[in-house]
Amino acid sequence: MSDDQQTADTIEEKPYKPSSPSSKLNFDGVWEYDDAPQSTEHAEVKEQYDLYIDGEFVAPEKGRYFDSVNPATEETLCSFAEATQQDIDKAVKAARNAFENEWSELEAKERGKYIFRLARLIQERAREFAILESLDGGKPIRESRDVDIPLAAAHFFYYAGWADKLEYAFPGKKAEPLGVAGQIIPWNFPMLMLAWKIAPALATGNTVVLKPAETTSLTALKFAELCRDAGLPDGVVNIVTGAGQTGSTIVNHKGIDKIAFTGSTKVGKIIKESLAGTDKKYTLELGGKGPNIIFEDAPLDQAVEGIINAIFFNQGHVCCAGSRLFVQEGIADKVIQKLRDRMETLIVGDPLDKNTDIGAVNSEQQYNKINEYLELGVNEGADMYQSSCQIPEEGYFCRPTLFTNVAQSNRIVQEEIFGPVLTVQTFRTAEEGIAKANNTPYGLAGGVWTDKGSKIFKVGSKIRNGVVWSNTYNKFDPTSPFGGFKESGEGREGGLHGLYPYVKLR
Amino acid sequence: MKISDFNQTVSIDQVGIEERVARLNSRSIKKESKVQALKLALSMVDLTTLAGMDTPGKVIQLCQKAKEPYAGLPQLPTVAAVCVYPNMVSVAEKALRGTDINIASVATAFPSGMSTLEAKLEETKKVVEDGADEVDMVISRGEFLKGNYSYVYDEIAAVKEACGDAHLKVILETGELQTYENVRKASDIAMHAGADFIKTSTGKVKPAATQPVTLVMLEAIRDYFYDTGRMVGMKPAGGIRKAKQAIQYLVIVKETLGTDWLTPDYFRFGASSLANDLLMQIVKQKTGVYQSADYFSND
Amino acid sequence: MSDRIEVLKTYKTYVGGNFPRTESGRYYKVYDKDDNVLANACQCSRKDLRDAVVAAGDAQPGWNDRTAYNRGQILYRIAEMLETRKAQFIEELETIGYSNEEAEEEVNTSIDRLIYYAGWSDKYQQVFGTINPVASSHFNFSMPEPMGIVNIWAPEERPLLGLVSVMAPVIVGGNSCIILASEKYPLSAVSFAEVLNSSDVPGGVVNILTGYRDELLEHMTTHMDVNAFFYTDTTVDEEARKQIDENATLNLKRVIRKPIEDWLADDSQSPYFITDFQEIKTTWHPVGL
């Protein structure tokens, strides 16, 4: 502990200067990329969407709808139904009925075949889903097209295969479904989080009531169409839209056997508290402040790329973002120089442009929060650097941002910003790096960069995170379990371990 | 200037390099920016003939193509250079006299490099004397792979001296170096020894130029530039046949080294059939009609 | 000989490998089956808990750094030590009303249970870890890792077997723990600490306190440096259960509640009790030259 203290006091962050006065790279002029907009012809957005309950699209009982905004234009995209107690009652009843009379009666391999169908249908309509995801949530089409949607399909494909093989997953035990799962997902990866939730729940024989985030409900309702097209029995999947109140109604609903939540640690704690004393199982995937540790023997250019992917992927709206960079002192200047040059090539703008690297911040609220943190960082005395890129006048856009001259004691280092904002600290020894990495209540994910194999295993085993990316960052796969230590959550999603939260073992 | 310790290895992660290239390849180059890229690429071509069956006749035809790539669009840029074997330098010199097109010659017992240093220096001096503006030498891969880095360094430095005012391009023959780390090390050696350009391949060994190898070399150039402020050029050679590939290379250069490198002074393509595909695409962009090879001269 | 005055044992707590008295100076009386006072047990306070958590925190990383093989051997060693002190434990159980056979069965089962978990020390990782065939050029594996520090309420009944059964799966996986002994029958737990102390278990890996559940509930479930809370009694009432869950929210403490009626039954031991106190860590690494 006293070590940390000492470090914070004695480190002198030098202001940035290139190692040679003439060695400034120039990324301007000569040849700029023209707009490369993704055509939106095939993606239809209706003016208004209803709830999907018991295989039908139905209007909400109270008749209330709320607007969803395209964060890149600040224009209203469409409106969604607000589900209230009566609607949730209906959805839970439908899910219960489907669980008891259809889904649990079905042979496991047939259940699996439905899930395979869903995977295939997502693949068939992948481009449409990608466009809608970018329109509704602001993420660049390159990511929704190459990451979110293909991974969502892969998730269904992976868990489909588990449906009739569960006896191999739990040695010595028999797995039984829990019943009705209430699932609440965030706005950062709407379709992918839906897949993370629904695929394992269905594979293990549960039925679901899922609530997408209020700013990004579009793809979930498109997915409801796929459920219908797949011939999935009515009530197995129910999609209800709404904000926090709707979520809370689900959490507290007596007819629900399991809650799966992905979102902030703050809300996760409220949910955990509401479930106190009940028999509901729950999984929580919460916040993080991921350490990304770069040793001097790392493959530096790939590490720089890894740092970029760690913090600027999906505008930094990633719970496992590598938002705390730790660089070994001897290479700090070099890494920061490379990082700044790399940041200059990031293209911020229209999410539907195929060349966009960083799209729109998801909502006005989040945009304001990020800006508050930028101000806070400056007020805390940190040095802020932002890339010089152009950003659109309309819409919620944020330049990629780097803070140096910070320490663990700064709020911008401690708190999850959930935006394209990186803090950079240095360390001298592996022990110091590990101690700083672990100096947080979070424990979701982190990166370790070194060319030395034994160091990877040592550091990897000492950092208290559910995911360790060594010499890479922000990689996801349906076979790979994901989830946090400490205040980053409880339980795992993905892989064999992702089956546990949806079964009781006998 | 501090010279690196070549016994040290700069670590390179294969998966990371290849992922970076894949990401750069996802750039979508459309409309005017595409036309601009095609023309830029054309101006960067080292139009090359390096065959045992080359004759003055063949070389003269190639020089003609270099001067007038496509009669239908006379305002197009010419290629950067014509690249020939040493005994064809004087033929090319005569054919290109009065143009801005450079003459490049391979030298130093191309493509194997298996000759004595004396012979290599002799050959270098001769091609320069005959009118070569640029010399494309090969490194001694055998010496490199057995760890004799100082030999490789000294040889490049000697050839550089023999070049006089001619520009030196150092061919690493990356297909024989096997690993990205070796490519990186050979790049560092070549730059420190005085190379004006580093070049991937002779075209005689497969694989020839690849985008990940090029990225590794560009990153070496970048680090060298950070350290010294000197700009070294890059030339991928062999296997680049399509305009689409060429544009991908330009994207890699732009986003790794910046726009200062997007000129024939610092970036070249070593290729023979690429020029025609670039021309076909330029005409396609202009007319909106997909083109046929029958309408483009095949010299 | 017969008029020799017997030396009575003072029952203290076990913290950090030492046997301190409670800092509070308080005690509560423990009775035998005939309601005679058997001993004064320490009525531990929140400060004793605080000290025990510090000891557990100091010991845990080193314990986890031991090889799985070594942890297995140490658990086996505890069983060996218990075997040699069988008579003492049987006698202690008899004073609280066990018949001789019942007492012997409890001690024997306790020894066997330690050996059961000793054997799992280097196997549960193989059964519950995975290699994940990701669709990219990466090697990816998931391994269980200990949660860290676990607070435990030992079962009220079965003062020895219950204690051993909740302790062994927690520590075999590299965690350290603070166990609040059976309130009614704390003496076996304190005697068991003597076994632990003579069997190579590093000090601080297991800490045993005695005292009142009601008093310590709040601090055992709110302590911010404790990663999990474990209890098995079916008798814990709804209100206490809710309180435990709510308090655990503070630092997202994992609450592991495994209602178990019969500690002699085979299903009261399982490798799943080990994994209940493990976090899955997934590691990625590129595969390339």
Side-chain angles (χ1 to χ4, degrees):
Chain A
M1 280 302 173
S2 59
D3 261 7
D4 283 357
Q5 205 56 51
Q6 216 175 8
T7 309
D9 292 342
T10 52
I11 281 190
E12 226 180 90
E13 293 275 353
K14 281 168 287 180
Y16 165 78
K17 63 171 195 312
S19 41
S20 156
S22 55
S23 63
K24 181 87 181 72
L25 297 180
N26 170 27
F27 294 97
D28 294 335
V30 184
W31 180 44
E32 299 291 344
Y33 307 144
D34 277 323
D35 300 344
Q38 166 67 49
S39 153
T40 55
E41 265 171 46
H42 290 294
E44 183 215 356
V45 181
K46 291 194 288 188
E47 265 180 36
Q48 181 173 302
Y49 287 87
D50 285 327
L51 307 168
Y52 182 69
I53 295 174
D54 209 10
E56 303 277 343
F57 288 96
V58 293
E61 290 287 340
K62 293 224 164 124
R64 287 205 294 259
Y65 291 83
F66 60 93
D67 285 345
S68 183
V69 169
N70 175 345
T73 60
E74 299 178 51
E75 284 163 14
T76 301
L77 185 65
C78 58
S79 66
F80 297 109
E82 184 191 329
T84 53
Q85 184 73 48
Q86 287 159 291
D87 303 303
I88 304 298
D89 286 345
K90 261 164 58 184
V92 172
K93 198 174 153 203
R96 172 66 54 196
N97 185 43
F99 173 69
E100 281 170 4
N101 303 318
E102 290 259 15
W103 202 236
S104 60
E105 300 286 303
L106 204 60
E107 249 190 285
K109 70 168 184 187
E110 304 300 335
R111 205 166 70 217
K113 276 152 72 178
Y114 277 120
I115 307 169
F116 277 123
R117 273 192 195 174
L118 291 171
R120 279 301 202 218
L121 284 167
I122 296 170
Q123 287 175 331
E124 281 169 22
R125 291 173 61 176
R127 188 56 57 91
E128 179 190 357
F129 270 85
I131 292 165
L132 295 175
E133 202 74 309
S134 288
L135 271 176
D136 197 19
K139 66 171 60 204
I141 187 77
R142 183 179 66 80
E143 289 176 7
S144 50
R145 180 195 67 204
D146 297 347
V147 182
D148 293 65
I149 306 303
L151 267 181
H155 233 83
F156 278 99
F157 205 87
Y158 173 76
Y159 279 108
W162 267 123
D164 58 353
K165 299 168 192 70
L166 295 173
E167 72 228 62
Y168 299 97
F170 309 103
K173 296 278 183 184
K174 186 175 183 310
E176 288 171 8
L178 300 169
V180 178
Q183 307 180 315
I184 299 165
I185 58 172
W187 45 258
N188 57 347
F189 296 93
M191 185 63 187
L192 183 57
M193 290 301 106
L194 174 146
W196 280 29
K197 295 282 179 289
I198 293 183
L202 297 190
T204 46
N206 301 279
T207 57
V208 305
V209 175
L210 176 133
K211 185 192 90 66
E214 66 269 30
T215 60
T216 56
S217 300
L218 194 48
T219 44
L221 288 158
K222 280 280 164 183
F223 177 77
E225 291 175 14
L226 301 191
C227 293
R228 214 182 40 191
D229 296 350
L232 197 68
D234 293 346
V236 170
V237 169
N238 303 276
I239 310 283
V240 291
T241 44
Q245 186 54 47
T246 309
S248 154
T249 308
I250 293 174
V251 168
N252 295 308
H253 202 286
K254 294 220 165 23
I256 282 177
D257 304 290
K258 189 233 152 66
I259 295 294
F261 171 76
T262 298
S264 70
T265 293
K266 191 176 146 205
V267 176
K269 286 181 174 179
I270 295 171
I271 290 176
K272 186 171 158 103
E273 196 164 5
S274 338
L275 297 176
T278 73
D279 284 325
K280 277 181 208 167
K281 275 189 102 169
Y282 56 89
T283 32
L284 306 170
E285 296 289 356
L286 310 177
K289 192 75 183 174
N292 200 6
I293 309 172
I294 320 292
F295 286 97
E296 59 192 6
D297 58 355
L300 281 195
D301 287 310
Q302 289 79 66
V304 167
E305 199 55 28
I307 297 165
I308 295 283
N309 286 332
I311 187 61
F312 300 127
F313 177 53
N314 198 34
Q315 297 73 247
H317 303 328
V318 185
C319 46
C320 51
S323 48
R324 286 184 301 148
L325 178 65
F326 295 100
V327 188
Q328 202 157 14
E329 257 185 56
I331 53 164
D333 286 353
K334 200 175 190 180
V335 167
I336 291 167
Q337 180 177 18
K338 281 171 183 270
L339 205 49
R340 292 168 69 131
D341 277 337
R342 176 66 179 90
M343 282 164 69
E344 280 299 303
T345 64
L346 289 169
I347 299 172
V348 182
D350 180 6
L352 285 172
D353 191 297
K354 292 171 189 168
N355 288 326
T356 293
D357 295 308
I358 298 180
V361 168
N362 186 264
S363 64
E364 187 179 11
Q365 192 192 359
Q366 187 58 25
Y367 176 73
N368 292 338
K369 182 181 153 192
I370 294 169
N371 284 323
E372 279 163 27
Y373 272 110
L374 296 184
E375 207 173 307
L376 176 71
V378 172
N379 290 340
E380 280 184 314
D383 296 328
M384 182 170 84
Y385 170 80
Q386 294 191 309
S387 80
S388 65
C389 62
Q390 297 291 316
I391 58 173
E393 281 172 19
E394 298 291 307
Y396 313 124
F397 292 93
C398 182
R399 286 198 175 83
T401 305
L402 201 70
F403 276 111
T404 51
N405 197 14
V406 296
Q408 281 293 110
S409 48
N410 291 130
R411 275 182 61 198
I412 52 167
V413 174
Q414 287 171 356
E415 296 172 16
E416 185 175 40
I417 298 172
F418 227 59
V421 183
L422 179 68
T423 62
V424 189
Q425 296 177 81
T426 57
F427 67 96
R428 294 155 301 178
T429 64
E431 270 187 12
E432 186 187 356
I434 292 163
K436 285 184 170 174
N438 287 336
N439 182 209
T440 165
Y442 293 116
L444 192 50
V448 181
W449 296 79
T450 164
D451 201 34
K452 187 175 175 187
S454 56
K455 188 150 66 186
I456 284 170
F457 286 111
K458 185 72 178 178
V459 177
S461 74
K462 291 290 171 195
I463 57 176
R464 304 267 292 147
N465 288 313
V467 180
V468 176
W469 282 295
S470 26
N471 291 328
T472 185
Y473 208 101
N474 269 344
K475 290 280 181 295
F476 307 93
D477 193 276
T479 67
S480 176
F482 181 93
F485 283 38
K486 304 200 285 185
E487 292 198 19
S488 286
E490 297 188 40
R492 294 294 176 269
E493 295 186 304
L496 186 155
H497 298 91
L499 294 168
Y500 280 87
Y502 288 98
V503 295
K504 48 183 176 239
L505 299 178
R506 299 226 187 266
Chain B
M1 184 180 79
K2 201 177 75 197
I3 292 179
S4 307
D5 174 1
F6 299 123
N7 288 309
Q8 297 272 324
T9 297
V10 174
S11 166
I12 298 198
D13 186 75
Q14 181 192 350
V15 175
I17 275 287
E18 290 168 8
E19 275 174 0
R20 176 69 182 126
V21 166
R23 176 160 177 183
L24 287 162
N25 284 347
S26 74
R27 289 288 189 221
S28 180
I29 308 303
K30 300 283 180 212
K31 303 179 233 171
E32 189 49 39
S33 62
K34 183 170 183 181
V35 175
Q36 207 187 340
L38 292 167
K39 289 180 182 170
L40 187 59
L42 184 63
S43 76
M44 292 169 161
V45 169
D46 279 4
L47 206 57
T48 302
T49 181
L50 292 169
M53 56 195 269
D54 283 350
T55 57
K58 164 72 189 172
V59 170
I60 289 165
Q61 286 162 32
L62 192 73
C63 292
Q64 201 51 46
K65 173 79 178 176
K67 286 191 279 193
E68 193 178 28
Y70 180 66
L73 289 171
Q75 74 281 26
L76 279 181
T78 60
V79 298
V82 165
C83 181
V84 295
Y85 265 123
N87 55 347
M88 293 294 146
V89 170
S90 50
V91 176
E93 195 276 330
K94 203 170 151 200
L96 292 174
R97 201 171 291 162
T99 72
D100 290 338
I101 301 166
N102 279 354
I103 297 157
S105 174
V106 295
T108 73
F110 179 95
S112 71
M114 299 301 275
S115 183
T116 61
L117 180 60
E118 291 73 27
K120 291 178 184 181
L121 296 178
E122 201 51 46
E123 191 182 26
T124 304
K125 284 177 192 149
K126 180 73 171 73
V127 297
V128 174
E129 207 177 283
D130 284 354
D133 307 288
E134 302 168 4
V135 174
D136 290 22
M137 75 170 284
V138 290
I139 66 164
S140 294
R141 283 87 75 190
E143 295 296 330
F144 179 89
L145 289 172
K146 77 181 199 205
N148 199 355
Y149 305 128
S150 56
Y151 180 94
V152 177
Y153 177 94
D154 291 345
E155 190 176 61
I156 297 168
V159 174
K160 169 70 185 169
E161 201 183 338
C163 282
D165 289 338
H167 270 208
L168 175 65
K169 305 199 198 93
V170 177
I171 303 171
L172 311 181
E173 197 64 305
T174 54
E176 289 184 347
L177 300 183
Q178 306 283 331
T179 67
Y180 293 126
E181 279 157 354
N182 277 346
V183 170
R184 168 67 195 232
K185 186 176 295 202
S187 303
D188 287 343
I189 293 172
M191 289 186 292
H192 281 283
D196 297 298
F197 264 74
I198 49 177
K199 174 175 168 184
T200 59
S201 323
T202 61
K204 308 294 179 194
V205 166
K206 284 198 166 131
T210 67
Q211 292 175 346
V213 156
T214 301
L215 177 58
V216 169
M217 293 169 70
L218 292 171
E219 287 175 347
I221 291 171
R222 185 171 60 191
D223 281 343
Y224 182 80
F225 176 69
Y226 281 150
D227 287 346
T228 67
R230 182 166 86 91
M231 290 170 69
V232 174
M234 171 69 204
K235 178 177 173 185
I240 306 164
R241 293 186 185 86
K242 296 292 172 196
K244 187 177 175 185
Q245 288 172 288
I247 295 176
Q248 289 172 338
Y249 274 99
L250 294 183
V251 168
I252 296 173
V253 174
K254 171 178 156 75
E255 300 205 19
T256 308
L257 288 169
T259 43
D260 291 350
W261 264 262
L262 286 179
T263 125
D265 292 341
Y266 293 103
F267 194 78
R268 297 282 179 85
F269 292 105
S272 41
S273 59
L274 173 64
N276 262 7
D277 198 54
L278 289 168
L279 291 169
M280 281 168 66
Q281 297 309 320
I282 290 169
V283 176
K284 194 267 148 181
Q285 287 300 113
K286 196 175 162 64
T287 62
V289 176
Y290 290 107
Q291 298 296 302
S292 156
D294 289 353
Y295 296 82
F296 295 84
S297 58
N298 60 1
D299 298 307
Chain C
M1 273 309 273
S2 61
D3 54 344
R4 178 178 180 271
I5 303 294
E6 201 183 349
V7 178
L8 292 175
K9 181 157 96 185
T10 312
Y11 288 88
K12 297 192 284 187
T13 70
Y14 184 55
V15 174
N18 300 312
F19 292 89
R21 286 198 177 82
T22 166
E23 64 75 42
S24 68
R26 302 174 307 173
Y27 68 93
Y28 70 103
K29 293 191 183 311
V30 180
Y31 299 93
D32 70 7
K33 60 179 190 292
D34 304 318
D35 276 346
N36 300 313
V37 174
L38 261 179
N40 293 318
C42 292
Q43 186 194 331
C44 288
S45 67
R46 60 190 167 85
K47 291 188 180 168
D48 295 313
L49 174 77
R50 174 199 64 191
D51 294 345
V53 171
V54 170
D58 288 346
Q60 195 270 333
W63 178 238
N64 184 41
D65 280 347
R66 301 283 184 110
T67 63
Y69 175 49
N70 184 244
R71 281 201 303 273
Q73 286 197 313
I74 290 175
L75 258 78
Y76 189 85
R77 181 72 178 158
I78 304 172
E80 284 179 348
M81 291 295 104
L82 188 54
E83 184 83 40
T84 61
R85 299 184 187 207
K86 238 168 108 169
Q88 175 199 344
F89 283 91
I90 291 171
E91 198 180 310
E92 245 169 21
L93 289 169
E94 282 171 353
T95 61
I96 57 166
Y98 278 66
S99 72
N100 184 265
E101 286 102 65
E102 284 168 351
E104 187 166 0
E105 186 182 27
E106 167 138 351
V107 179
N108 285 344
T109 310
S110 301
I111 296 166
D112 292 353
R113 189 137 296 165
L114 284 163
I115 289 174
Y116 173 82
Y117 284 110
W120 269 115
S121 76
D122 47 10
K123 296 167 194 70
Y124 71 88
Q125 302 87 338
Q126 294 178 306
V127 177
F128 297 97
T130 54
I131 289 180
N132 311 309
V134 295
S136 58
S137 201
H138 293 88
F139 185 69
N140 177 299
F141 60 95
S142 298
M143 284 278 291
E145 275 192 11
M147 285 177 175
I149 305 175
V150 184
N151 273 342
I152 305 175
W153 276 0
E156 267 304 287
E157 305 298 327
R158 297 281 173 198
L160 179 66
L161 177 58
L163 177 93
V164 166
S165 300
V166 294
M167 176 204 74
V170 170
I171 64 166
V172 75
N175 296 287
S176 60
C177 62
I178 296 94
I179 306 176
L180 180 62
S182 165
E183 190 172 307
K184 211 165 22 158
Y185 307 121
L187 303 191
S188 300
V190 180
S191 297
F192 184 71
E194 294 158 14
V195 171
L196 292 171
N197 199 44
S198 58
S199 50
D200 306 332
V201 183
V205 170
V206 181
N207 303 278
I208 298 177
L209 303 179
T210 57
Y212 298 146
R213 281 187 176 185
D214 282 354
E215 181 187 347
L216 291 172
L217 181 147
E218 186 188 341
H219 299 290
M220 289 188 87
T221 51
T222 55
H223 198 301
M224 298 297 278
D225 208 26
V226 173
N227 304 92
F229 183 76
F230 181 27
Y231 66 110
T232 59
D233 277 322
T234 49
T235 50
V236 174
D237 64 33
E238 286 297 307
E239 200 186 326
R241 196 183 145 192
K242 189 153 188 265
Q243 195 62 51
I244 291 167
D245 286 348
E246 279 176 6
N247 289 350
T249 301
L250 215 51
N251 69 335
L252 240 66
K253 203 176 273 96
R254 280 59 165 147
V255 176
I256 291 96
R257 173 174 164 267
K258 294 270 164 194
I260 288 189
E261 304 273 8
D262 179 8
W263 286 107
L264 292 167
D266 272 350
D267 65 1
S268 65
Q269 59 182 19
S270 158
Y272 290 90
F273 290 156
I274 305 174
T275 54
D276 280 335
F277 301 93
Q278 301 285 309
E279 296 282 353
I280 295 298
K281 176 181 277 181
T282 299
T283 303
W284 293 68
H285 197 279
V287 175
L289 286 174

